[in-house]
Amino acid sequence: MASFSFRRAGPDDLAALVALLADDPIGRERESAGTPLDPCYAEAFSAIDRDPNQLLAVADRDGRVIGVLQLSFIPGLTRRGMWRGQIEGVRVAAGARRDGIGRAMLEWAIEECRKRGCGMVQLTSDKRRTAAHGFYEALGFRATHEGYKLAL
Amino acid sequence: MASFSFRRAGPDDLAALVALLADDPIGRERESAGTPLDPCYAEAFSAIDRDPNQLLAVADRDGRVIGVLQLSFIPGLTRRGMWRGQIEGVRVAAGARRDGIGRAMLEWAIEECRKRGCGMVQLTSDKRRTAAHGFYEALGFRATHEGYKLAL
């Protein structure tokens, strides 16, 4: 396994991040990965970056972005005021998918949630992404909930 | 149906909110509803209240809290930088459950998400809460995702 590190995403990563999100059978239809980059992404990056409860993280190998995920730290009243860490938008570059990077990214993210005092980590996974389900279960996640979505 | 209104929760609502969260077969085991109130709740309330992307909302009937839900507005890169509205901790007081308050609360929450520019509203529902599932589906939600949780 080649070495890689995790770090907070910066504005210079944005084009690579959008390319990564679009390089996926489900993501392809949802993103606008053309050049120049659609300004909606710079706006979104800025909203994430200025919110102290959001952390957009990249896996970096030799200066190349090979993975991304977003962590949201959510305060709540339930369960005695428990904070939740929520993971969204997990993607690993096609050429890096057999290198254990996905697993290492998730383990890193879970540890970040622990450091922030979260009592739970949660994520939803499209029921069509059957290969991902075994991956999350191997990390200790349990599909105890239905994930409901309503498009506006 | 008696009239009720929705408003942002204030610190004076806290004891009523915790009682509401604990008055539920699943919530009962998870909350500390004794008097004086466990300070963990005041701390959690303050974390929610100072985060501009969180909205703890109550349904109020004649000055009495009969329902609660938490809305989180989450910026993201995916789907062309779409904001998500997330609903958590939905509870309606036992004596008010047949008055359409749950439905009205959810419709109000969906409208708040629309006003904030969200492209999607999402929530997870414990697979044991089978009665809730028909309720969310009637509001237009679809259980397209598995909801994974990992306790820390």
Side-chain angles (χ1 to χ4, degrees), chain B:
Chain B
M1 192 196 302
S3 72
F4 50 89
S5 59
F6 302 110
R7 59 175 175 78
R8 185 182 184 89
D12 292 348
D13 297 313
L14 199 50
L17 289 174
V18 175
L20 200 52
L21 295 177
D23 181 24
D24 171 275
I26 297 177
R28 191 162 299 138
E29 303 157 25
R30 294 178 180 162
E31 309 301 340
S32 303
T35 313
L37 202 61
D38 190 313
C40 66
Y41 291 110
E43 211 177 291
F45 178 82
S46 159
I48 296 167
D49 201 48
R50 68 175 170 252
D51 181 338
N53 285 331
Q54 306 295 329
L55 173 59
L56 188 67
V58 297
D60 179 312
R61 183 160 66 191
D62 304 326
R64 208 183 130 238
V65 169
I66 53 169
V68 60
L69 61 76
Q70 182 178 343
L71 265 172
S72 303
F73 303 104
I74 305 174
L77 272 194
T78 60
R79 298 179 184 233
R80 310 187 69 251
M82 181 186 73
W83 281 75
R84 291 166 192 257
Q86 182 162 300
I87 300 174
E88 191 85 58
V90 180
R91 298 290 188 283
V92 174
R97 272 178 207 154
R98 293 179 185 282
D99 298 350
I101 289 164
R103 187 180 172 90
M105 279 176 63
L106 265 289
E107 286 172 346
W108 177 84
I110 292 165
E111 190 52 35
E112 288 296 305
C113 293
R114 217 187 289 273
K115 282 186 201 163
R116 291 273 296 235
C118 297
M120 180 187 282
V121 187
Q122 63 186 23
L123 59 88
T124 66
S125 181
D126 196 304
K127 287 183 178 174
R128 293 171 294 174
R129 294 193 194 272
T130 48
H133 299 165
F135 168 74
Y136 292 125
E137 280 156 24
L139 284 158
F141 285 91
R142 294 291 167 262
T144 51
H145 285 59
E146 290 289 349
Y148 283 99
K149 311 277 172 177
L150 170 67
L152 294 183

Side-chain angles (χ1 to χ4, degrees), chain A residues 8 44-56 70-75 83 116, chain B residues 51-54 72-75 83 116:
Chain A
R8 185 182 184 91
F45 177 83
S46 158
I48 297 167
D49 202 47
R50 70 175 169 250
D51 181 339
N53 284 332
Q54 307 295 328
L55 173 58
L56 188 68
Q70 183 179 342
L71 264 172
S72 304
F73 303 105
I74 305 175
W83 281 75
R116 292 274 297 234
Chain B
D51 181 338
N53 285 331
Q54 306 295 329
S72 303
F73 303 104
I74 305 174
W83 281 75
R116 291 273 296 235

